[in-house]
Amino acid sequence: MKYSWPGNIRELENLIKSYVVFESEEDVRSAMRNVHVDFFDPQIPSNGVIALKKVVRAATKQLEQTIIRKALETHHWNRRKAARALCISYAGLLCKMREAACPRPAGRKLTSRLQ
């Protein structure tokens, strides 16, 4: 119950499959502990100084890229549908994809036509 489920339903599905394979609750819990990475856990240098604005910008950019990739995957890389789902313009999505160097999956054609 304390787990944040960053992978949502897919992660839950994989957990159930792992439970069937491992047949041990402790093995599954161990696997969950090893996989979970705290997204907002910046590395603080030994002198203890941290540039808050820099860390916030980097975290925001990384989160934005993750959301864009998930929207593209959800809409089968149809950029117009993804832009609509994200409530941004098509040109804005293309710009953000260029900034993030967002590669499409191998063998997957990007689509922009309304289907």
Side-chain angles (χ1 to χ4, degrees):
M1 290 178 63
K2 293 179 184 177
Y3 191 63
S4 65
W5 296 101
N8 212 346
I9 193 70
R10 290 183 188 151
E11 186 174 4
L12 178 59
E13 180 183 11
N14 290 336
L15 173 69
I16 293 168
K17 288 177 182 178
S18 298
Y19 189 73
V20 170
V21 171
F22 289 137
E23 296 180 353
S24 165
E25 185 176 338
E26 187 52 43
D27 288 341
V28 173
R29 286 179 192 237
S30 176
M32 284 175 63
R33 273 185 242 120
N34 294 338
V35 171
H36 180 67
V37 175
D38 192 355
F39 182 78
F40 296 107
D41 186 20
Q43 297 300 314
I44 298 176
S46 59
N47 66 1
V49 176
I50 184 167
L52 182 60
K53 285 184 181 181
K54 185 177 178 180
V55 171
V56 169
R57 276 190 211 115
T60 303
K61 185 175 181 176
Q62 187 176 0
L63 180 59
E64 183 178 82
Q65 290 171 0
T66 300
I67 292 169
I68 288 170
R69 176 170 288 284
K70 285 186 179 192
L72 286 165
E73 289 171 356
T74 299
H75 295 284
H76 307 288
W77 288 82
N78 182 307
R79 297 171 293 178
R80 288 206 189 273
K81 287 182 180 180
R84 214 174 295 124
L86 294 167
C87 299
I88 61 174
S89 70
Y90 176 71
L93 176 63
L94 295 180
C95 180
K96 289 181 179 298
M97 288 175 67
R98 271 192 305 277
E99 287 173 5
C102 188
R104 66 177 183 241
R108 186 103 200 171
K109 187 171 87 174
L110 289 175
T111 61
S112 59
R113 288 184 215 138
L114 297 175
Q115 297 176 351

